[in-house]
Amino acid sequence: MSGHRHGCDGDHDHDETPEMGLQYSLYSKIDIDNLQCLNEAVEDSGKAIFKTLGKEKIKILKKFVESDADEELLINIPFTGNIKLKGIIVIGGEDQSHPSKMKLYKNRPRMTFDDTGIIPDQEFDLHPDTSGTLEYSTMVVKFSSVHHLSIYFPQNFGAENTKLYYIGLRGEFTQAHRHGVTICTYEAKPNVADHKTEVFNPVSHHVQ
């Protein structure tokens, strides 16, 4: 069965390959050393939720990031080039610790919680997902040239703390070389053997 992706901006496309899994190649384009997760209970634990995952690994997820003082988490993600972000998968904690909302901000390096009052580039109402079966489609026209992405989780489903096991990013990558600019854009594809995802078109709030 082929994947059928719906974009939140009204556009949609068809993926005729059975490769809509969790091994999203944009993971390898993250500048992981400079990734920040604010309000994490354990230092650098936020870096561990960005990884490659297959169908079997999803069953044994152990590493996670958990919020500290309250339920908020803010993740600043720098990339090694420009990306076109097309979709996000969020695997949250069990019970009520799964985040219930997600806000995306592009190209605002080192955001703090004081900055989250500004209007996000896109906002999602999340549904509990502990198996990676839901993909949230971004408005590609807004996320076509992103060198830094901030993801803000302001609340969860009622727990004191928020827990995340995995964030997957799907899209394309463009790398600039010193000897001029060479475009190396490709569709980030997971392995055929990986778990198929059900594409989810969530209730989202678009900012014009």
Side-chain angles (χ1 to χ4, degrees), residues 3 20-22 24 89 132-135 194-199:
M20 282 282 296
L22 292 183
Y24 281 9
I89 284 178
T133 56
L134 302 179
E135 178 192 319
D194 288 344
H195 181 64
K196 292 181 180 178
T197 53
E198 170 191 349
V199 177

Side-chain angles (χ1 to χ4, degrees), residues 62-111:
K62 294 181 180 180
K63 293 184 178 180
F64 59 87
V65 60
E66 187 172 19
S67 62
D68 187 12
D70 52 29
E71 56 191 311
E72 294 180 90
L73 282 171
L74 175 59
I75 305 174
N76 289 315
I77 309 166
F79 297 96
T80 57
N82 287 326
I83 68 161
K84 178 186 291 184
L85 183 64
K86 296 184 175 182
I88 300 179
I89 284 178
V90 177
I91 298 180
E94 49 287 314
D95 301 325
Q96 296 178 317
S97 64
H98 193 292
S100 60
K101 289 187 178 296
M102 175 174 67
K103 299 182 180 183
L104 305 181
Y105 304 84
K106 68 175 183 181
N107 300 338
R108 292 181 176 273
R110 297 190 174 274
M111 279 187 64

